[in-house]
Amino acid sequence: MSEQLSTSTRDRLVSAVAELMRVHGYSAITVKQITAAAQAPMGSLYHHFPQGKVQIAAEALRTSGAAYIQLLPLLMDPHEDLRVAVRAAFDDAARVQEESGWMNMCPVGTVAGEIADSEPVLREVAAEVMRDWIDRGATYFVDRGVEESSSRELVLAMLSALEGAFVLGRTLRSAEPLRAAGRAIAAQVEAVLAEGATVDSSIT
């Protein structure tokens, strides 16, 4: 029972700091806010994370990153046409951002932009998460028929468009940036697939 409680407390702490960072960034939050949001005693944070705020923030970034990349197949697999799948993913992101009142969508992107020069440990953790996104995203696109030589560039473009559109959408209070980004990436997918088909036909 004590082990289950301990695990539950740790998970609540990580979830709390991920949500706080998504809303407020890293620098603005305190250990007191984290423990209050997790409904956990102050000592429990240092029991699970002896290095304090930096250590728990790093764990929250890794956990959030692993969860967010799972959205890629979840949103896109229902659509057989990859171009439609990309548009649908961006449209869904636009809908969620609008319905949430233009909240920050991703703690990893929020924190990465904030601490790139001030917290080297967290910058490297954010980079680790993003490298994993790129690798797994590229593998996903290959599985969906994109040539391996084009898959990395495509996922880089998609992530860049998504993160940039989150910022524009939140600032402008508009779903237009995400929907426009979705159309642009869908057009890039179409071009990549057409190029791959041309290469295949020339080989045969």
Side-chain angles (χ1 to χ4, degrees):
M1 181 70 178
S2 61
E3 183 178 349
Q4 291 180 345
L5 179 60
S6 176
T7 302
S8 176
T9 300
R10 187 183 192 280
D11 290 346
R12 290 203 313 273
L13 286 164
V14 172
S15 296
V17 75
E19 178 63 10
L20 286 167
M21 288 194 301
R22 183 188 64 76
V23 176
H24 303 292
Y26 173 76
S27 300
I29 63 173
T30 65
V31 169
K32 185 176 180 180
Q33 284 177 301
I34 295 169
T35 53
Q39 297 183 322
M42 182 79 71
S44 66
L45 187 148
Y46 289 102
H47 170 73
H48 293 290
F49 303 97
Q51 297 170 35
K53 182 180 167 183
V54 170
Q55 186 180 9
I56 192 173
E59 180 66 17
L61 289 175
R62 292 188 178 101
T63 301
S64 298
Y68 271 69
I69 193 62
Q70 294 300 322
L71 293 174
L72 186 65
L74 183 67
L75 295 174
M76 294 177 62
D77 280 357
H79 305 280
E80 185 175 348
D81 188 317
L82 188 57
R83 295 160 297 185
V84 174
V86 166
R87 286 280 299 271
F90 277 84
D91 286 348
D92 190 71
R95 176 186 59 78
V96 171
Q97 189 176 46
E98 185 171 18
E99 290 178 354
S100 71
W102 313 108
M103 69 178 186
N104 281 333
M105 297 292 287
C106 175
V108 179
T110 300
V111 172
E114 176 193 358
I115 51 80
D117 297 317
S118 59
E119 293 285 349
V121 171
L122 291 184
R123 187 208 64 78
E124 182 51 42
V125 172
E128 170 193 316
V129 169
M130 291 179 179
R131 284 191 291 266
D132 182 62
W133 286 352
I134 294 164
D135 291 343
R136 294 174 68 176
T139 298
Y140 178 83
F141 280 124
V142 169
D143 290 343
R144 291 292 302 263
V146 175
E147 292 289 326
E148 189 171 353
S149 59
S150 302
S151 62
R152 179 180 172 85
E153 182 175 350
L154 181 57
V155 74
L156 281 168
M158 185 172 180
L159 289 172
S160 299
L162 192 61
E163 292 291 345
F166 282 152
V167 174
L168 283 172
R170 186 164 186 262
T171 303
L172 298 173
R173 295 295 195 263
S174 171
E176 183 182 6
L178 276 163
R179 298 192 190 283
R183 291 191 295 271
I185 299 301
Q188 183 174 350
V189 168
E190 183 168 12
V192 165
L193 291 176
E195 181 180 345
T198 301
V199 171
D200 288 343
S201 63
S202 66
I203 291 174
T204 56

